[in-house]
Amino acid sequence: MNSQKSGTRPVSSHRTGPLTGTITVPGDKSMSHRALILGGSATGTTRVTGILEGEDVLCTAEAMRQLGARVEKQPDGSWAVTGRGVGALTEPDRVLDMGNSGTAARLLMGLVASAPFTTFFCGDASLHKRPMRRISDPIGQMGAVVTSRSGDRFPLAVTGRDLMPIRYELPVASAQVKSAILLAALNTPGTTTVVEPKPSRDHTENMLRHFGARVEVETDTGGGRIIRYDGQQELTAADVIVPADPSSAAFPAVAAAITPGSDIRITNVGMNPLRDGIFTTLRDMGATIDIENLRTEAGEPVADIRIQGGTLKGIEVPPERAVSMIDEYPILFVAAAFAEGTTIMRGLEELRVKESDRIAVMAEGLKACGVTCEELEDGLIIHSSGSTPPQGGATVATELDHRIAMSFLVLGMRTEHPVTVDDGRVMETSFPGFTRLMTDLGAKFTEEQAG
Ligand code: S3P
């Protein structure tokens, strides 16, 4: 993995008819990171099936190797992760390259905060712009030392110490911050408490339990959560089955929902209730979505999703739903561009500090494609006639953001003229094989190699 990529690969998306077929999208990114980190911190060998082999997760795999875990792909496609137990990380002999991944960066900063050495981190140009004070503040309060350039941005170094447990109220509902603190707590004596204003994805808590640890979770009167973790518990290897990523499923789901006559199934999708806001919202907009074969696998709900194309209508999306679909707004903006009427989406300040400023980058690209939208500090309002498709015909800058690339390729499937994204390689971050899978459903993409 090298953060200094050269060359670009523009991809164009052409207007298509109804989409049909059954697909399985790649494994859940959040769960894949956590399986490697917790598996690599447990004693014994954890077999992980369904792991996402995207660039973000490969960064975490390499980092865990550097920290002393054995991480190997098996001939049957599963991954074997062997750790040395809590408190037994070893000092990396090189800088950990986190590539494009905010999750890898933040979770691993938490993990190494209690290790008796200094870990150096770097990433790509997008990651170097992202705020890290949200991690250096709490792990600093626990006793770790973070050395960085101004603004607590990457590249930076974390010097681990014997930490003290803290009670930390998250200023923003962020699963990455919550998880970083819980990972710092792994090897910290006493009880660490994290208070979150709104429940964010709870894969770390679920997986800690799966590895045999006790995690106490209480819901407070305002709907927030209080999570308590007693440090220095043993973690024991436990096999993990990673379901397909609902955030990746959102792209074919929206493509089908905006294309009348479509009828697709996406199998084995993770349906954690703290992640499923996009499907609720698409239904509120009038999409026909059936959840079939709902079951539980390795402690997480999983289902097949059937989506039929039709007509969508604009709605006001409840801002409190944002945390359960924070990564899905770029593709929801695309759905809104084909919905009849006005769609109002607010409470999205966090979108400005994702892999790109997703409000600004999406607004600019949508306008270039003929979509009428109003950018707000905390959201976007999209106006659409529903019946006349946007003209398209633009080339959009993806700004090293996989979800921007995939969103505009879905937009181009329904616009009058093709839509081009300047660099399709960024999709490898979370969704390797995106163009092939979408083509299986009926999408038409053309790719060119550029300098
Ligand atoms: C993630 C949490 C979210 C999300 C990211 C993955 C995780 O970030 O946007 O893609 O795996 O914990 P925040 O916790 O910063 O909102």
Side-chain angles (χ1 to χ4, degrees):
M1 176 71 213
N2 180 357
S3 290
Q4 310 305 317
K5 299 174 181 177
S6 59
T8 56
R9 182 162 58 83
V11 182
S12 299
S13 175
H14 305 261
R15 190 170 168 83
T16 54
L19 303 179
T20 52
T22 298
I23 55 168
T24 306
V25 300
D28 190 86
K29 182 154 72 72
S30 294
M31 287 184 64
S32 298
H33 285 297
R34 287 158 173 83
L36 292 167
I37 294 172
L38 293 183
S41 303
T43 48
T45 298
T46 292
R47 185 173 289 270
V48 189
T49 45
I51 199 168
L52 167 66
E53 294 182 13
E55 286 181 352
D56 273 19
V57 175
L58 298 180
C59 289
T60 293
E62 183 50 29
M64 289 310 296
R65 284 188 196 108
Q66 280 291 312
L67 290 164
R70 229 177 43 232
V71 182
E72 285 162 349
K73 186 168 178 176
Q74 302 299 297
D76 68 357
S78 69
W79 285 55
V81 186
T82 309
R84 297 154 177 258
V86 169
L89 300 175
T90 58
E91 183 177 4
D93 63 8
R94 62 187 88 145
V95 178
L96 302 188
D97 187 346
M98 303 286 91
N100 188 251
S101 179
T103 307
R106 294 186 174 127
L107 268 55
L108 289 167
M109 283 175 71
L111 183 73
V112 300
S114 66
F117 49 75
T118 297
T119 308
F120 295 89
F121 290 96
C122 72
D124 72 3
S126 153
L127 191 56
H128 281 214
K129 288 189 204 145
R130 298 183 67 183
M132 293 298 160
R133 185 158 293 156
R134 54 184 61 196
I135 305 298
S136 53
D137 268 351
I139 65 173
Q141 284 180 28
M142 292 174 87
V145 178
V146 178
T147 311
S148 69
R149 62 195 179 95
S150 55
D152 283 22
R153 315 244 160 188
F154 265 36
L156 55 70
V158 177
T159 301
R161 296 267 193 262
D162 288 338
L163 302 182
M164 307 251 295
I166 55 167
R167 176 188 165 91
Y168 194 77
E169 298 202 8
L170 298 183
V172 283
S174 162
Q176 291 180 351
V177 180
K178 169 177 65 178
S179 302
I181 299 169
L182 290 173
L183 291 170
L186 283 186
N187 189 32
T188 301
T191 306
T192 296
T193 305
V194 186
V195 182
E196 51 179 358
K198 291 187 197 113
S200 65
R201 66 190 70 190
D202 56 0
H203 304 298
T204 304
E205 297 91 307
N206 295 343
M207 221 180 273
L208 278 167
R209 289 198 187 100
H210 187 64
F211 282 86
R214 253 180 354 272
V215 188
E216 215 183 282
V217 179
E218 195 188 311
T219 302
D220 68 23
T221 43
R225 282 190 178 175
I226 303 162
I227 300 120
R228 295 190 187 85
Y229 191 79
D230 292 335
Q232 299 185 325
Q233 300 181 57
E234 283 270 330
L235 296 181
T236 311
D239 293 350
V240 176
I241 303 169
V242 180
D245 197 325
S247 299
S248 296
F251 295 98
V254 167
I258 61 174
T259 311
S262 292
D263 189 354
I264 69 163
R265 260 195 190 78
I266 312 171
T267 61
N268 205 34
V269 181
M271 295 301 291
N272 182 307
L274 298 170
R275 298 280 301 279
D276 67 357
I278 184 67
F279 303 114
T280 310
T281 302
L282 288 172
R283 276 205 184 114
D284 289 352
M285 295 173 82
T288 307
I289 299 184
D290 296 304
I291 306 297
E292 302 172 337
N293 198 13
L294 188 61
R295 58 211 184 262
T296 302
E297 268 173 23
E300 293 269 352
V302 173
D304 304 328
I305 305 178
R306 180 180 180 196
I307 305 105
Q308 290 168 276
T311 322
L312 301 183
K313 61 175 191 305
I315 60 165
E316 181 159 0
V317 181
E320 61 276 11
R321 200 180 283 163
V323 68
S324 71
M325 51 180 293
I326 194 66
D327 291 335
E328 284 65 80
Y329 279 94
I331 191 62
L332 179 63
F333 296 161
V334 171
F338 294 91
E340 199 178 307
T342 297
T343 303
I344 302 169
M345 293 156 286
R346 306 204 64 154
L348 310 180
E349 9 333 66
E350 276 295 297
L351 283 198
R352 294 205 179 269
V353 291
K354 293 294 180 189
E355 286 82 331
S356 68
D357 176 342
R358 286 182 173 160
I359 298 178
V361 175
M362 285 300 300
E364 194 181 328
L366 287 170
K367 283 180 191 157
C369 291
V371 177
T372 308
C373 56
E374 296 167 53
E375 184 178 338
L376 311 170
E377 201 40 54
D378 73 334
L380 200 65
I381 299 177
I382 296 183
H383 306 280
S384 164
S385 78
S387 48
T388 329
Q391 85 217 9
T395 296
V396 174
T398 51
E399 305 288 353
L400 288 176
D401 190 334
H402 50 131
R403 299 198 206 280
I404 299 289
M406 294 186 281
S407 297
F408 280 103
L409 291 180
V410 171
L411 185 91
M413 291 168 66
R414 296 303 300 153
T415 48
E416 202 106 347
H417 304 288
V419 172
T420 301
V421 298
D422 66 349
D423 192 2
R425 291 173 319 162
V426 293
M427 296 185 281
E428 294 298 315
T429 295
S430 67
F431 200 151
F434 174 81
T435 51
R436 183 183 39 76
L437 266 188
M438 296 298 287
T439 303
D440 287 348
L441 294 174
K444 292 191 206 109
F445 300 126
T446 47
E447 303 190 17
E448 60 181 275
Q449 207 68 46

